Amino acid sequence: MKLRTQFIITMFLFGIILVVMAVSAIIANQRREKVSEQERISANIAQGASELGYLANEYLIYRESQQLTRWQSRFASFSAQVARLNLARPEQQVLVRNIQADHQRLKAVFDSTVSAFGGSSANQKVTLDPALLQVSWSRIAIQSQGLISDASRLSQLLHQEMDHLTHRRTMLIYLMVGMFGAFLLASYMLTYRRILKSLATLQARTAVIGSGNLDFKVEEKKNDEIGDLSRAFNRMTSDLKAVTTSKVDLEKEITERKKAEDDLRQQREWLRVTLSSIGDAVIASDTSGRVTFLNEVAVTLTGWQTEEALGQPMQNVFRIINEKTHAPAEDLVARVVNEKRVVALGNDTALVAKDGREVPIEDSAAPILDAAGNVKGVVLVFHDVTEKRRALEALREAHERAVWLARFPEENPNPVLRVSADGTVLYCNAATAETPGWGCEEGKPLQGALLPLVEQAITEAKETTQDMELGGRSYSVSVTPFPAESYVNIYGSDITERKLADEALRESEERLKRAQEIAHLGSWELDLAHNRLAWSDEVYRIFGLVPQEFGASYEAFLEAVHPEDRAAVNAAYSRSLRENRENYEIEHRVVRKSTGEIRIVHERCEHIRDASGQIIRSIGMVHDMTEHKKAEEALRKAHDELETRVKERTAALAKANEALRDLSARLLSAQEEERKRIAGELHDTIGSCLTGIKFKIENVLQQSEKAPNTVAMSLNTIIPVIQEGIEECRRMQQDLRPSMLDDLGLLPALSWFYRSFQTIYSGIRIEQEIAIREDDIPQMLKIVVFRVTQEAMNNIAKHSKADLVRFSLRKQDDRMELVLQDNGQGFSLEKINSQRATVKGLGLTSMRERTGLSGGSFDIESVEGKGTIIRASWLFCKKG
Amino acid sequence: MFRALLVDDNHFFREAFKRDFSRQLPSALIEEAAGGDEALQKVKGTPPHLIFMDIRMPGMNGLRLTQKIKGENPNIRIAILTGYDLPEYREKAFNTERIVFSEKRHCSGMKL
């Protein structure tokens, strides 16, 4: 619903209601006033009735005309009052009629009374009947009282009505006030809620539009004037938008046109300036080929002044020929006019200037067209290409040189790379691709061990070089950053061989140092040209200094030399220089600075000369001879000592030789004795036996011829002889080496020996104690023990005169001990030892020798008259 | 058939002994061995019933060879042939089971 309608309805409704109310109130008020009037009349009537009663009484009392007149006058006004009573309500009308009737009756009563009294005066009063008077008074009183009563009653009714009307009026006023309030509320609702708020919203939205957002749409919810307004706004906005757009376009167009005009103006100016200041020559002509314009450059190139050129045929001013053939070139103007397009000249065109100069040019000719596309003229643009050709030549040369130079990194046999700051390979030369461990590709990220170095170089922003192992070889890699260019250059060079050589050199130096250290041999070099002295580590050590602690100097050297030797050392060097010698040697002492120890060194120096014979360098060595000297001293002492000992030993050896010769002589004699004995025995036993057998066999042979029957018997007699020979043979064999020792062992052999001994020497008692098992006796000792026992027993039997021999063979812990004790006469060992070998016999010596040779110890104790004890003992070898 | 083995390094003695033995016991078979190794090989091949053993031989001693053979074949009877009839040899024979000592000079078929 429209706001206007709403507003009208609201006003109309409230207007009617208020008018009705106002009318009701006015009516009520009028009625009330009327009732009030009636009520006053009623009150006056009551009062009048009262007064009439009073006046009637007064008349009755006084009966004078005055009182009568007064009553009549009063009654007249009373009647007027009564006449004015005008009431509508039935009960009121009843009362009015009562009053009117009483009014009439009062008049009648009073008139009757007056007539009764007849005009008598006051003096006649006395004569009046009191009863009559009483009745008259009563009648009047009744009438007046009735009037008063009705009037009062009427007045009361009217008062009630008046109250009622007052109440109604008050109610109406209240209602009107309330309605007015309701009207205000409704107006507020309508005005504020519906209008002002919507208006505010609309305002806000229009403000958005007002801010330039023409695409903003106002909400069109309500179908009222504001809704209409919103729609109108939206329409307006869209219209405005359209208008704005077109306006913007218009403004733009205006601006562009202005700009175009400016541009045109500028362009014209620019063109003028350009044409006159352009490096190119410009000549324009009309269609007939007459020159209409030429700029300064054209003037210079052609040699034609502007004023003389203008109007001239183009061919005169712009005379062109083929540079090579010198043939006139084609007529450009005619061609352009015909073809209506831009035409360029051939390459070898030359302009022939007015003075005949030929200038190589490049040019083009273009038609000047009007708006309709008609040719209005021709413009020729050309320039001198002498400089350009020269520049091109220079450029070509520069380019060739650049290409030539660009091959430089490519031809580098070592890896060369360019890497961007983000690690992308920008360039890598052929060597990079071919070198193992350097694999990279342009445009790809740099891989591997090079990255950290690149990062380091970028971070430190300075050239960084590092040796690294790549693809099994050593490279010196140098990274040069170019922060401004955001890349780094990487140069690698293969240093494997150099490194190996360095390593070999280092090792060699190390070996040399070590060798010098071991040999206590230092070396030094004095560069006379630069007066530089260098010592090897060992020189420092020999001088008691820390190696390479300070720079070597001749002064430091002299300081280290023993004070007593300094002069000599200094002199030796100076003399070698003075006397022009090739070398010199000197032995001197040095005092070690740190410990004060004195060392003896041997110095040797060689001088090296240049071509002119000038000494340029001295090379020397310092050999610490101290140890050597000490060793020499010790050696000398040892030598002396040895000499003494050799002398002693020689004497001992001579003695031993003597003994050995003795022994040897005795051995030889013993051998001869033995041979003699065996020869005798062979002769006596086997020899005689075999002789006997020979005779017997000869006999048998002789007999066999005579009596062959007896041959067997005769041969039988030979058998005992042979048997005897065998027996002798066995005895000799046993004497030489007892077979039992080999067959059964030492213990059975000893048993056999003692048994045999007893059979021969029955006067000697033998006590045997054997506390060892056969298996415990080492095989090689068996014969030694047997022979020692045999020898000892033979000695005892021959020399001791003993009658008891105690023999014991024991195992004692790790030893085997042999003891032979006799109770014989004994002998003096000194005496025996002092005897010459040949005299003393072989017995003791052979026992001692045998024992000693078999690793045992031999001991003999003998006291004259007390017997002899022989002890031999051997240490068992460890098992295995 | 009764088999015997003679172990001796002396060729002449072996020939004489064999001839004598065959004459005395023609039914018996006698083989010979010149040393310890050969004897052991023969014993291992066909164990004989009786072995005549010389004591002194190059290489292995007759007594040690006897002990070795006895260790492997205790049932074989072994007669040691020695040049000496001495108590020490007899004692050794007693200590070693089933060994008979016989003096070489008495070695004739009759005695055996």
Side-chain angles (χ1 to χ4, degrees):
Chain A
M1 196 186 286
K2 300 278 181 193
L3 284 173
R4 187 165 158 269
T5 318
Q6 288 176 20
F7 200 71
I8 289 168
I9 290 170
T10 310
M11 291 296 281
F12 186 71
L13 275 174
F14 279 103
I16 289 172
I17 291 167
L18 279 172
V19 166
V20 167
M21 280 183 172
V23 169
S24 300
I26 291 163
I27 293 167
N29 201 38
Q30 281 174 348
R31 277 186 66 190
R32 187 183 168 275
E33 277 174 12
K34 192 181 168 189
V35 170
S36 176
E37 177 72 27
Q38 294 295 315
E39 196 237 341
R40 204 173 61 245
I41 294 167
S42 302
N44 286 341
I45 291 168
Q47 195 186 349
S50 179
E51 280 176 16
L52 285 171
Y54 164 74
L55 288 168
N57 281 343
E58 202 182 21
Y59 171 74
L60 286 173
I61 295 165
Y62 299 110
R63 270 163 280 145
E64 296 170 2
S65 57
Q66 191 186 354
Q67 276 79 27
L68 186 60
T69 325
R70 274 184 60 194
W71 191 86
Q72 284 173 335
S73 142
R74 188 65 191 95
F75 188 76
S77 69
F78 181 73
S79 297
Q81 292 284 342
V82 171
R84 280 178 65 192
L85 275 175
N86 179 23
L87 290 164
R89 292 180 185 267
E91 67 268 25
Q92 291 169 352
Q93 282 178 346
V94 170
L95 283 171
V96 168
R97 274 191 301 273
N98 283 346
I99 289 166
Q100 282 171 344
D102 285 342
H103 166 252
Q104 292 301 324
R105 265 187 307 272
L106 183 54
K107 178 72 177 147
V109 167
F110 190 74
D111 284 345
S112 64
T113 306
V114 169
S115 53
F117 289 122
S120 40
S121 62
N123 41 358
Q124 297 169 317
K125 271 182 229 187
V126 199
T127 62
L128 281 176
D129 189 357
L132 183 59
L133 197 57
Q134 189 67 46
V135 171
S136 301
W137 187 78
S138 291
R139 284 176 66 191
I140 293 165
I142 286 167
Q143 290 308 317
S144 63
Q145 281 300 318
L147 274 171
I148 291 168
S149 170
D150 286 341
S152 296
R153 176 81 190 121
L154 187 64
S155 172
Q156 198 180 347
L157 279 173
L158 287 169
H159 196 77
Q160 277 178 358
E161 193 180 346
M162 200 171 71
D163 281 352
H164 178 71
L165 287 168
T166 308
H167 182 69
R168 185 192 283 176
R169 192 189 65 191
T170 311
M171 281 301 290
L172 280 167
I173 289 166
Y174 282 154
L175 269 170
M176 276 165 72
V177 170
M179 280 312 288
F180 189 70
F183 170 71
L184 284 179
L185 192 65
S187 299
Y188 163 75
M189 293 295 280
L190 192 68
T191 312
Y192 179 76
R193 306 281 296 184
R194 295 291 303 268
I195 301 171
L196 291 179
K197 223 170 159 190
S198 300
L199 274 174
T201 313
L202 187 63
Q203 188 196 12
R205 289 170 184 177
T206 50
V208 175
I209 293 165
S211 68
N213 184 2
L214 294 181
D215 295 323
F216 187 80
K217 286 280 174 198
V218 180
E219 206 178 0
E220 302 171 356
K221 254 193 325 200
K222 289 175 183 158
N223 194 23
D224 52 13
E225 284 85 345
I226 292 168
D228 292 345
L229 196 59
S230 302
R231 279 187 283 279
F233 259 118
N234 285 340
R235 272 198 305 279
M236 193 175 79
T237 310
S238 57
D239 292 352
L240 193 63
K241 202 169 146 190
V243 171
T244 308
T245 312
S246 59
K247 192 190 167 196
V248 166
D249 290 345
L250 202 62
E251 280 171 352
K252 202 168 152 193
E253 200 181 323
I254 290 166
T255 315
E256 277 172 3
R257 283 196 181 176
K258 270 186 182 170
K259 190 168 175 292
E261 276 172 18
D262 286 348
D263 286 352
L264 197 61
R265 215 175 11 256
Q266 274 181 8
Q267 212 170 345
R268 272 191 196 136
E269 179 62 18
W270 178 79
L271 198 63
R272 192 186 62 77
V273 174
T274 306
L275 285 176
S276 49
S277 59
I278 196 169
D280 284 5
V282 179
I283 302 177
S285 74
D286 55 19
T287 45
S288 61
R290 301 211 170 259
V291 174
T292 56
F293 171 84
L294 75 168
N295 67 354
E296 280 304 310
V297 182
V299 167
T300 313
L301 281 180
T302 56
W304 287 76
Q305 292 304 314
T306 310
E307 50 275 15
E308 36 181 59
L310 289 176
Q312 286 284 336
M314 183 65 99
Q315 288 91 332
N316 291 359
V317 179
F318 184 71
R319 196 148 66 83
I320 48 175
I321 54 166
N322 185 301
E323 202 178 1
K324 286 174 183 163
T325 61
H326 285 86
E330 63 177 321
D331 182 1
L332 269 182
V333 175
R335 195 173 148 200
V336 168
V337 169
N338 286 340
E339 296 183 8
K340 289 190 181 177
R341 64 178 185 86
V342 177
V343 174
L345 270 186
N347 275 337
D348 302 321
T349 309
L351 172 72
V352 181
K354 198 180 174 191
D355 56 5
R357 275 181 300 125
E358 283 184 17
V359 182
I361 56 162
E362 265 180 11
D363 91 336
S364 65
I368 302 171
L369 301 173
D370 63 5
N374 299 318
V375 178
K376 305 298 280 182
V378 174
V379 63
L380 287 169
V381 181
F382 58 97
H383 56 264
D384 184 352
V385 293
T386 318
E387 282 305 314
K388 184 184 168 186
R389 281 190 186 169
R390 207 170 291 150
L392 267 177
E393 186 60 27
L395 190 68
R396 194 184 56 74
E397 278 174 11
H399 175 71
E400 276 175 8
R401 182 162 174 78
V403 169
W404 180 77
L405 272 178
R407 288 209 307 271
F408 199 59
E410 197 60 28
E411 287 166 354
N412 193 333
N414 290 317
V416 176
L417 286 101
R418 178 165 290 175
V419 177
S420 71
D422 64 0
T424 308
V425 177
L426 301 174
Y427 168 78
C428 53
N429 68 349
T432 312
E434 288 157 12
T435 313
W438 282 79
C440 63
E441 209 176 317
E442 285 174 18
K444 296 275 173 66
L446 184 67
Q447 301 285 339
L450 292 169
L451 262 182
L453 194 61
V454 169
E455 279 164 16
Q456 189 191 339
I458 289 170
T459 311
E460 293 175 3
K462 64 169 187 185
E463 181 170 346
T464 308
T465 306
Q466 190 178 311
D467 291 355
M468 51 174 66
E469 296 281 325
L470 288 167
R473 294 187 71 81
S474 300
Y475 292 91
S476 168
V477 181
S478 173
V479 180
T480 312
F482 294 90
E485 309 283 345
S486 256
Y487 61 64
V488 298
N489 286 351
I490 303 173
Y491 309 99
S493 65
D494 191 334
I495 54 163
T496 312
E497 272 72 29
R498 198 184 81 201
K499 254 197 142 174
L500 289 174
D502 282 355
E503 183 67 18
L505 185 65
R506 201 185 56 72
E507 275 176 17
S508 164
E509 277 177 358
E510 197 56 43
R511 271 201 296 273
L512 183 64
K513 270 188 190 174
R514 186 81 192 111
Q516 287 199 354
E517 197 179 336
I518 291 166
H520 295 302
L521 181 71
S523 60
W524 57 267
E525 189 174 336
L526 177 62
D527 184 345
L528 288 166
H530 303 95
N531 196 27
R532 269 206 300 260
L533 181 65
W535 287 352
S536 74
D537 289 358
E538 195 52 27
V539 174
Y540 284 89
R541 273 195 283 270
I542 290 169
F543 291 173
L545 304 166
V546 177
Q548 310 300 342
E549 188 183 34
F550 58 87
S553 68
Y554 190 67
E555 288 69 34
F557 162 67
L558 274 185
E559 200 185 321
V561 174
H562 193 281
E564 292 171 13
D565 295 349
R566 264 174 214 162
V569 168
N570 204 10
Y573 182 70
S574 328
R575 193 167 57 240
S576 74
L577 292 181
R578 199 172 54 240
E579 294 175 4
N580 224 4
R581 283 163 59 173
E582 292 302 310
N583 54 51
Y584 76 92
E585 285 182 55
I586 185 167
E587 197 169 299
H588 63 87
R589 289 166 292 171
V590 295
V591 182
R592 282 196 171 165
K593 203 176 178 182
S594 47
T595 57
E597 188 189 348
I598 293 172
R599 310 288 293 183
I600 300 159
V601 301
H602 176 245
E603 290 223 31
R604 189 183 156 80
C605 166
E606 297 226 347
H607 299 304
I608 293 169
R609 296 161 194 282
D610 62 7
S612 65
Q614 192 72 28
I615 295 173
I616 49 166
R617 273 194 300 156
S618 299
I619 298 174
M621 59 124 212
V622 185
H623 190 191
D624 188 342
M625 307 284 285
T626 315
E627 306 303 331
H628 185 69
K629 289 271 171 189
K630 276 183 188 166
E632 258 182 10
E633 184 61 24
L635 199 64
R636 200 183 49 73
K637 271 186 188 164
H639 184 259
D640 292 351
E641 215 168 278
L642 205 63
E643 282 289 310
T644 317
R645 280 169 71 181
V646 164
K647 274 177 194 159
E648 286 170 10
R649 279 288 171 90
T650 312
L653 205 61
K655 211 173 167 186
N657 266 346
E658 181 71 17
L660 211 60
R661 258 198 307 279
D662 274 4
L663 185 66
S664 183
R666 271 185 291 144
L667 274 173
L668 282 174
S669 98
Q671 195 182 22
E672 282 307 310
E673 280 295 316
E674 189 74 1
R675 282 181 179 175
K676 203 172 137 191
R677 191 178 61 81
I678 293 168
E681 285 209 0
L682 279 173
H683 177 265
D684 291 349
T685 55
I686 298 170
S688 59
C689 208
L690 287 173
T691 312
I693 289 165
K694 180 181 165 272
F695 284 136
K696 286 214 176 215
I697 289 173
E698 280 169 357
N699 276 341
V700 169
L701 285 173
Q702 282 171 3
Q703 276 181 2
S704 67
E705 289 168 6
K706 296 168 191 170
N709 297 341
T710 58
V711 170
M713 237 169 65
S714 301
L715 281 177
N716 248 340
T717 60
I718 299 172
I719 290 173
V721 181
I722 295 171
Q723 198 80 43
E724 196 184 332
I726 293 169
E727 207 52 48
E728 284 299 326
C729 207
R730 186 169 294 145
R731 192 184 51 75
M732 281 172 68
Q733 185 194 336
Q734 285 294 2
D735 277 355
L736 289 170
R737 168 102 185 179
S739 64
M740 203 181 292
L741 197 63
D742 300 316
D743 293 346
L744 301 178
L746 176 63
L747 300 184
L750 283 172
S751 161
W752 165 77
F753 172 74
Y754 280 121
R755 198 154 36 76
S756 315
F757 189 85
Q758 290 266 268
T759 54
I760 301 164
Y761 306 102
S762 53
I764 300 172
R765 191 157 56 89
I766 299 167
E767 288 179 5
Q768 287 184 63
E769 188 205 353
I770 291 175
I772 191 164
R773 292 192 301 127
E774 181 71 41
D775 295 344
D776 289 339
I777 306 166
Q779 198 63 36
M780 61 164 292
L781 288 183
K782 285 180 179 177
I783 185 66
V784 179
V785 172
F786 188 83
R787 288 298 186 207
V788 169
T789 307
Q790 200 177 28
E791 191 66 47
M793 289 307 287
N794 281 342
N795 283 345
I796 289 166
K798 281 181 191 163
H799 312 293
S800 74
K801 296 179 180 155
D803 59 358
L804 176 65
V805 176
R806 284 202 181 95
F807 167 85
S808 85
L809 183 66
R810 282 195 298 265
K811 184 187 176 188
Q812 293 243 314
D813 302 326
D814 53 347
R815 305 183 75 83
M816 180 171 74
E817 192 182 50
L818 168 70
V819 180
L820 277 157
Q821 187 181 9
D822 69 68
N823 61 352
Q825 59 187 11
F827 59 91
S828 163
L829 278 167
E830 287 82 29
K831 218 184 277 177
I832 292 287
N833 284 339
S834 64
Q835 282 176 346
R836 283 188 58 83
T838 43
V839 179
K840 71 180 174 189
L842 262 174
L844 270 178
T845 315
S846 81
M847 282 191 284
R848 195 185 294 277
E849 288 295 318
R850 276 185 191 277
T851 312
L853 282 171
S854 62
S857 63
F858 183 84
D859 180 45
I860 182 162
E861 280 176 39
S862 188
V863 180
E864 283 183 83
K866 293 255 172 110
T868 308
I869 302 177
I870 290 171
R871 284 193 183 86
S873 70
W874 294 265
L875 202 64
F876 285 125
C877 292
K878 292 248 165 59
K879 290 250 171 192
Chain B
M1 186 186 276
F2 184 81
R3 287 190 307 278
L5 175 68
L6 171 65
V7 186
D8 198 313
D9 57 324
N10 191 319
H11 171 72
F12 293 107
F13 180 75
R14 285 206 307 275
E15 286 302 311
F17 189 91
K18 269 174 74 179
R19 202 168 48 238
D20 205 19
F21 187 87
S22 302
R23 203 162 48 234
Q24 298 297 326
L25 291 168
S27 58
L29 181 76
I30 182 152
E31 285 195 74
E32 57 184 295
D37 292 337
E38 195 185 341
L40 281 173
Q41 231 168 17
K42 296 220 162 158
V43 169
K44 201 172 275 180
T46 323
H49 299 96
L50 176 65
I51 298 175
F52 297 104
M53 179 80 75
D54 184 22
I55 288 188
R56 311 199 75 185
M57 284 185 295
M60 204 182 282
N61 176 315
L63 284 171
R64 278 180 53 206
L65 184 61
T66 301
Q67 276 169 349
K68 198 159 182 183
I69 292 171
K70 274 286 180 187
E72 288 165 13
N73 309 63
N75 291 327
I76 298 178
R77 281 166 176 273
I78 298 175
I80 303 282
L81 301 176
T82 169
Y84 314 96
D85 181 18
L86 289 170
E88 285 76 21
Y89 283 95
R90 293 196 174 279
E91 197 185 337
K92 184 78 184 177
F94 276 122
N95 291 343
T96 318
E97 241 188 322
R98 287 178 182 239
I99 296 180
V100 177
F101 271 88
S102 170
E103 269 199 83
K104 268 193 176 174
R105 58 181 167 178
H106 301 306
C107 282
S108 63
M110 292 294 282
K111 287 223 170 173
L112 282 168

